[in-house]
Amino acid sequence: MNQGKVLFRNRPLLFKTPLHGRYYSTKPTVLRRVVRGTGIVTLATTLTLGVGGTVMYNTNDQFRHVMNALDRCRIAGVAGSMVAFDYQKTLTKDYATEQEYEEAKRKCHLRCAHRVLDAIQRLGGVYVKLGQHISVMQYLLPPEWCVTMSVLQDRCDPTEPDAIRALFESDYLPIDELFDEFEFSPMGVASLAQVHKARLKGSDEWVAIKLQHPNLDEYCQLDMDTVSFILEIIKRVFPDFGFQWFADEIRESIPKELDFVQETKNSKQVYGNFEKEIRNHKTALVIPEVIWAKRRIMCMEFIHGTRVDDLEYMKKHNIDPREVSTELTRIFSEMIYLHGFVHCDPHPGNVFIRPAKDPKHSKYNFDLVLLDHGLYRELSDELRVNYAHLWTSLIKGDEAGIKKYSLRVGGTDVYQLFACMLTGREWAKISESDLNSVRYDEEVSRIADGALEYLVEVADILGKLPRTVLLLLKTNDLLRHVDEKLNNNEPGSVSDDRITYVIMGNYCGKAVWLDTKQYLLNKMHTLGFSLNLFKELFRAWWQYTSLDYALWLYQLTTFWAEKVRRVTL
């Protein structure tokens, strides 16, 4: 495959020679093949689930559960059928011009995305989690789908008060025995859980109570089985697509996210990783303290704040969004490249901003509160260092390094496409070492269109990736979204996009330096001191030190440039 064509300096031409008034190619595209197979998928799903439902009806006396399960399958099936019909009708219609076809396709993407969103919001639970995955798959799906699904990040239907009371009574103690006050109106609602404010019994202390949606225990396994079944049918209809990784990831991730005892362990581990910096006020990171936790209920420290992308809140409290972006990049770079223990769901609803609790001693005038520690991945030392090498190569535009470490990290030799998926940028930007430039909507649209044209290749890469790397892709996309919003907030300000990659490069360099140092020192210990080994050690140290100095110099320059700008306003 010609990778240079993939990565998408110019938009792929789908329209070459008019045929009977149509401007689209007569060769079946990947998208049309998907549409033709959707009817088979929908029919097979409906029939199989219908038979399964009938068996359950005759053998299981939990009638309500069976009927609700069938209704959930019906909602998913109807939504899928309507989407398939709409795409079939839109893509097989005659259009006079390419522009007319593109506009019709865009509207179809939007209609179908809203239909699926409506079904997801009705079904809740695991389906919302799927929608959240869709919202960050810019490297695979049209913008209309990603933008539409983005509302699922922190806007979901709440659990009713009666169900909350029943959950406390079944899992721990009645609410009245635990709290003097409990606010049944939730402060926030997510796909798997919601958060309430409460005051501890016999105390003035207010706490945050995170509780799982009770119906997840009833339908979670059914929903995961349904998703797995649909993806298995897709695999049979389209053997080249290999989307089974999606079902495998859901099966591995969801049970961990549904165990708040495990989430407590994760929060304690990440606090331990940053404890020295937190105690010495060298970071804005705050990890809420967990007071007690059961599998489906968690009681933790209550912290005031708002979403990290709330620019009006920052303006009100005189918080610089670019400083927030810089600190967020630093925190996650340290997580990924040094600790190897990574929070894999950093969407804006899971990162809060507040004025610094201890402004006299804090490095910044704000705190970054990291929430929802259910989804973490631990990177092996080998993967962590190879990933650092890969990002160093991406930042430098080093094609040989990108090729080498794409194979080591992702197991793929289609390195240009993988690089675009990882960075969200076109290959031209990567090869020219221009990742720091602003990513305009036109580039995002071209990447999405190119991903649809090469859907088989993208799916093949995703199918081969280790699941840890899949979640790193998701983490990258979520952080990129926040970073772009925070760094492009004020007209006329000095652009600070480059700082993100300078900081990442610094942590990548530190990871490589520490690994190289350990390797060379072990070699010296085994073979004895040699001048060549010492030269290698010095060279590795100097590469890291010079990069660290470049970061300091750039931050200093940016600081004074901003000072000058404010004075001249």
Side-chain angles (χ1 to χ4, degrees):
M1 182 180 68
N2 182 1
Q3 293 187 51
K5 179 183 176 184
V6 173
L7 302 151
F8 303 109
R9 188 158 196 163
N10 297 308
R11 185 172 178 174
L13 292 177
L14 304 179
F15 310 87
K16 295 183 179 179
T17 305
L19 182 67
H20 305 299
R22 297 183 184 179
Y23 283 76
Y24 45 83
S25 170
T26 56
K27 183 179 178 180
T29 65
V30 167
L31 192 56
R32 289 198 186 95
R33 285 159 53 203
V34 170
V35 170
R36 288 178 188 146
T38 305
I40 300 174
V41 172
T42 303
L43 178 61
T45 301
T46 304
L47 288 175
T48 303
L49 292 177
V51 171
T54 302
V55 172
M56 290 173 64
Y57 181 87
N58 290 316
T59 60
N60 193 319
D61 58 4
Q62 294 183 345
F63 177 78
R64 178 187 57 80
H65 173 80
V66 173
M67 296 307 295
N68 286 340
L70 289 175
D71 189 52
R72 294 174 72 80
C73 296
R74 177 191 62 80
I75 292 171
V78 168
S81 299
M82 292 180 69
V83 167
F85 176 76
D86 198 349
Y87 271 114
Q88 177 71 20
K89 181 180 177 181
T90 301
L91 297 179
T92 56
K93 187 178 178 181
D94 292 351
Y95 297 94
T97 65
E98 176 183 343
Q99 290 73 22
E100 185 181 338
Y101 172 78
E102 287 297 320
E103 180 62 16
K105 188 170 67 172
R106 186 191 67 79
K107 290 180 178 178
C108 181
H109 287 325
L110 198 58
R111 287 193 305 271
C112 292
H114 277 286
R115 287 191 187 104
V116 172
L117 175 63
D118 179 64
I120 285 173
Q121 289 177 321
R122 293 172 64 188
L123 292 166
V126 172
Y127 290 97
V128 174
K129 211 69 184 172
L130 288 173
Q132 290 175 344
H133 275 284
I134 290 172
S135 73
V136 296
M137 296 177 74
Q138 290 93 341
Y139 49 83
L140 183 61
L141 297 173
E144 292 81 8
W145 278 89
C146 298
V147 172
T148 301
M149 295 297 162
S150 64
V151 302
L152 295 171
Q153 293 297 350
D154 60 349
R155 301 176 198 171
C156 305
D157 292 332
T159 295
E160 296 298 322
D162 288 345
I164 294 173
R165 290 185 181 277
L167 177 63
F168 271 93
E169 291 174 6
S170 67
D171 284 32
Y172 195 21
L173 292 170
I175 287 179
D176 295 341
E177 294 184 24
L178 294 168
F179 312 106
D180 283 331
E181 295 183 59
F182 188 94
E183 297 183 1
F184 282 95
S185 178
M187 300 170 59
V189 184
S191 57
L192 305 181
Q194 61 190 49
V195 178
H196 296 258
K197 186 178 180 181
R199 185 165 61 85
L200 291 175
K201 192 78 172 177
S203 169
D204 293 331
E205 182 181 0
W206 286 90
V207 292
I209 304 299
K210 180 177 179 180
L211 55 92
Q212 195 178 118
H213 297 307
N215 64 351
L216 285 172
D217 267 5
E218 188 174 5
Y219 297 115
C220 184
Q221 189 60 50
L222 170 71
D223 291 343
M224 287 193 294
D225 289 342
T226 302
V227 171
S228 296
F229 172 78
I230 292 173
L231 291 173
E232 181 62 30
I233 293 296
I234 290 174
K235 183 179 179 181
R236 291 179 181 275
V237 176
F238 307 106
D240 294 334
F241 278 64
F243 280 112
Q244 191 60 37
W245 59 268
F246 202 72
D248 293 340
E249 176 53 40
I250 290 293
R251 284 189 178 279
E252 181 174 344
S253 298
I254 294 295
K256 293 179 180 178
E257 293 188 76
L258 293 179
D259 185 355
F260 292 167
V261 175
Q262 179 60 46
E263 179 173 341
T264 301
K265 293 178 181 177
N266 291 341
S267 68
K268 288 181 179 178
Q269 182 170 341
V270 75
Y271 177 84
N273 290 343
F274 285 93
E275 183 174 8
K276 185 176 180 180
E277 292 171 81
I278 292 172
R279 290 186 180 279
N280 293 328
H281 305 286
K282 293 183 179 297
T283 180
L285 178 64
V286 172
I287 307 295
E289 179 187 358
V290 177
I291 299 169
W292 54 261
K294 304 297 178 181
R295 184 178 69 85
R296 297 194 294 175
I297 309 172
M298 178 190 294
C299 176
M300 54 189 166
E301 172 189 6
F302 180 82
I303 295 179
H304 287 279
T306 189
R307 290 166 53 108
V308 73
D309 59 353
D310 189 339
L311 299 178
E312 287 299 318
Y313 179 90
M314 294 186 206
K315 185 176 181 180
K316 179 181 176 181
H317 291 88
N318 197 31
I319 296 171
D320 186 347
R322 288 169 301 171
E323 284 192 351
V324 175
S325 173
T326 296
E327 179 64 358
L328 189 64
T329 300
R330 194 196 67 77
I331 289 168
F332 272 87
S333 293
E334 185 168 336
M335 268 190 196
I336 295 169
Y337 303 113
L338 299 186
H339 301 161
F341 187 65
V342 186
H343 188 301
C344 290
D345 198 17
H347 65 78
N350 280 343
V351 185
F352 270 23
I353 184 85
R354 71 174 184 183
K357 187 177 181 181
D358 186 9
K360 289 184 178 180
H361 300 99
S362 296
K363 183 178 180 181
Y364 301 100
N365 69 336
F366 60 87
D367 291 332
L368 281 173
V369 185
L370 191 58
L371 305 171
D372 194 354
H373 299 274
L375 186 58
Y376 273 76
R377 281 294 184 272
E378 194 159 359
L379 280 60
S380 67
D381 287 341
E382 180 181 14
L383 175 58
R384 179 178 55 80
V385 174
N386 283 333
Y387 193 63
H389 275 293
L390 175 57
W391 266 104
T392 301
S393 301
L394 289 166
I395 292 169
K396 292 180 178 178
D398 174 14
E399 186 167 355
I402 294 170
K403 181 178 181 180
K404 175 181 178 180
Y405 289 104
S406 291
L407 186 60
R408 291 191 180 184
V409 170
T412 179
D413 55 3
V414 190
Y415 61 92
Q416 292 180 335
L417 180 56
F418 182 53
C420 292
M421 293 166 61
L422 199 58
T423 61
R425 304 305 301 265
E426 295 175 303
W427 176 251
K429 298 291 185 182
I430 299 169
S431 62
E432 294 167 7
S433 188
D434 194 25
L435 292 180
N436 58 283
S437 61
V438 176
R439 193 172 65 134
Y440 292 106
D441 292 341
E442 292 82 357
E443 182 182 359
V444 174
S445 179
R446 288 196 299 269
I447 290 173
D449 287 344
L452 283 175
E453 286 297 304
Y454 293 92
L455 187 59
V456 172
E457 288 82 358
V458 171
D460 183 61
I461 289 175
L462 294 174
K464 292 178 180 177
L465 287 180
R467 286 203 287 275
T468 299
V469 180
L470 281 171
L471 281 180
L472 287 177
L473 271 175
K474 175 188 173 185
T475 303
N476 284 338
D477 285 336
L478 290 169
L479 291 172
R480 186 182 303 117
H481 167 76
V482 175
D483 181 66
E484 288 177 345
K485 186 162 186 179
L486 296 178
N487 270 316
N488 295 281
N489 68 91
E490 186 179 346
S493 63
V494 177
S495 175
D496 204 22
D497 297 323
R498 187 182 297 273
I499 192 68
T500 297
Y501 291 102
V502 174
I503 293 171
M504 284 179 59
N506 176 262
Y507 277 93
C508 289
K510 187 173 183 179
V512 171
W513 153 242
L514 291 175
D515 180 69
T516 303
K517 181 179 74 171
Q518 189 61 49
Y519 169 76
L520 292 174
L521 290 177
N522 288 342
K523 203 167 182 180
M524 285 183 183
H525 180 75
T526 303
L527 302 176
F529 177 84
S530 78
L531 187 59
N532 286 337
L533 287 176
F534 180 77
K535 286 180 179 178
E536 285 186 47
L537 185 63
F538 178 80
R539 188 183 304 112
W541 170 83
W542 175 247
Q543 286 177 347
Y544 166 64
T545 302
S546 59
L547 192 61
D548 192 36
Y549 175 75
L551 171 62
W552 172 82
L553 185 61
Y554 181 77
Q555 288 177 311
L556 183 66
T557 304
T558 303
F559 172 80
W560 283 108
E562 179 63 11
K563 284 281 189 183
V564 171
R565 186 189 71 84
R566 291 186 182 276
V567 169
T568 55
L569 283 178

